[in-house]
Amino acid sequence: MSDRPKILIIDDEENIRFVFKKALEKRNYLVHTAPSAEEALHKIKSQEYLIVFSDIFMEGMSGLDLLQEVKKDSPQLKIVVMTAQYTMNNTIEAMRMGAYDYICKPFDFDEIYSLVERAETSKNIEAPPQPETAREAEEFSVEAIVGKSKKMQGIFKTIGKSAMSDLAVLITGESGTGKEMVARAMHYYSGRRDQPFVCINCAAISRELLESELFGHEKGSFTGAIEQKQGKFEIANGGTLFLDEIGDMELQLQAKILRVLQNHDFYRVGGKAPIEVNVRIIAATNQNLEELMKQKNFREDLFHRINVLNIYVPPLRARLEDITLLANHFLKIHGSGLPHGEAYLSPEVEHIFKNYAWRGNIRELENVIKRALVLSATGPILPEHLPDHLDSDPQLDETDGQLENQLNKLIRKYIEQNQEVQDGGLYGELIQSVEKQLFEIMLDKHYGKQVVVAKILGINRNTLKRKIDTMKIEIKKKKNL
C-alpha cells in the first residue's frame, strides 16, 4: 500500500480531471478522480484523502451538496470547491459550509500546489491532548482570569487575602490586560458576590452624562430629564462599583466620588436629600495617577482613598508562560461552537505568539484567536491564519538581527578568503556563495514553509523550489520550540 498522500479530484469534465491528475502526480501525490459527487462519496467513505477538489456545478449532486454531506461525518476533511462561474453568493455559501478554499477556473497551479502543501502541513501537526489542556486552564484560573506565571499567581493570592474586606482597590496596568476581570474576581470571591457588580467606563462618557450615570437624577433636573433615574451607585448598593479608567474623570466629579467614599451618601442631580449607599469601590486606570496629581489633573486625597489596596496587572509580554494557556482558553470559549471540527494551535503559531509584543495585551490575543478560528475553520491554526504583522514584530523578533549578523559574517569571511578574485567577478561569486546560506536560514526561520519564504524573498515559488533541489538544501518542516 502506497504511503503517498492521496488527493481526490471531482469534476464531470474528463479533461479537467486529466490535467489535474497529471499536474499533481508530478509532485508525487497519489491522485484519484471521480466524474460525479455520488461516486466521490463512495471513495471518501472508503479512502483517507489529504485534500479533495470538487467542481461545484455537476449533474445530480452538486459540489455544495457534497460538501454538506461530507462535513457531517468527516468535519476535518479539507474540501476545495472549484468553478468556472465565480459569484459572490457561491463563494460565501461554500465558505460558510466549511470549504477549505474556493478557486476559479482556469486554474493557477501554483495556487493548487500551495493549497496541497498547506493541507499536508496541517496533517503533520497533531492536536494537543485537549483534556490536559482543559484541566490546566481550569487549574490556573479564577473567575475568568487565566495565568500560571508568578506575577499572576501573586495577583490570585492578593485576591484571596483581600476579597472579603471592603477596602477600596486600585487596579493599574496597560489597556487590555484584564483589569476588569480582576475586579470581577474580587467581587466574586467577596461577601458581596450575591449583590450587583456594576461597571462604568469613565472615559467613554462626557462629564455631564457621567454625573447622571453615577448619581442618577431627579425628574426635570435638566433638559431631557423626563423622569427620575437611578445612578450606578444606587444600582450597586450592597455590591461593588467598578470605576474603569478613573484617571479620565474630571476634577469636579472626583470631588463628588470622594464625598461618597467619606460619607457613604450622595445626592442625585437636582436632588435635595442625601441617599445613603453601601458600595465597595474598585477603580482601574492605565494612566500614571501620581503623574496626573503633579499636573493637578487628579485629586491627591481621592488617590489615597482609592489606593488602599493596589493591584498591578502586568502586560502580556511580561508573562510569556501564560500566552499559550490564554490562547487555548480563548480557543475553548470561542471554538466550542465550531460546526466543522476542532481547531488547535500549531507549534509555529505558539512560537510566533511567544515572540510577539502584544501591545494590545489579552484583548488583542483574544481578537487574534477569533480571527484565526474563522479563517482556519478546523484543524491546526497556522501562521497564514494570523495577521501579517504578528510574524514580523520589531520589538521582540530577534531573528532578523541574527540573520543580518550571519550574512554579514559570511560576506566578510568570503571577501577575506578570496582576495584574488578577478575584476568584475566578486559580485557573482559572492552571491553564489551566500545564496544557499540565505535560503537555509530563511527556511529554518519559517519552518520550511516555501510559500512564505518565496513571498518574503520576492521570488517565484517554483524558482525557490528549483534552487532548493539544485543546492540540495535539507528542509526542516518542524522545529522543537
Side-chain angles (χ1 to χ4, degrees), residues 68 95-96 115 147 200 210 238 246 283 289 347 415 449 465:
Q68 189 172 31
M95 301 309 290
R96 185 187 68 81
L115 285 169
I200 185 167
L210 182 58
I246 195 170
L289 295 187
I415 294 174
K449 293 184 67 63
K465 179 67 169 62

Side-chain angles (χ1 to χ4, degrees), residues 379-446:
I381 292 175
L382 302 172
E384 64 207 47
H385 302 137
L386 307 179
D388 292 339
H389 67 273
L390 257 71
D391 201 13
S392 58
D393 190 285
Q395 180 169 340
L396 292 182
D397 190 356
E398 300 176 356
T399 313
D400 292 334
Q402 294 170 358
L403 172 60
E404 183 178 354
N405 290 336
Q406 285 176 278
L407 291 177
N408 284 338
K409 289 178 181 178
L410 285 169
I411 291 170
R412 291 194 192 98
K413 183 178 179 181
Y414 182 86
I415 294 174
E416 290 170 0
Q417 294 178 351
N418 295 272
Q419 300 290 342
E420 305 301 326
V421 178
Q422 294 181 1
D423 292 345
L426 178 60
Y427 177 79
E429 292 191 24
L430 179 59
I431 292 300
Q432 290 178 10
S433 176
V434 300
E435 190 175 35
K436 181 179 180 181
Q437 287 90 336
L438 171 63
F439 290 149
E440 287 176 338
I441 292 168
M442 294 302 293
L443 286 165
D444 182 62
K445 176 184 176 183
H446 296 282

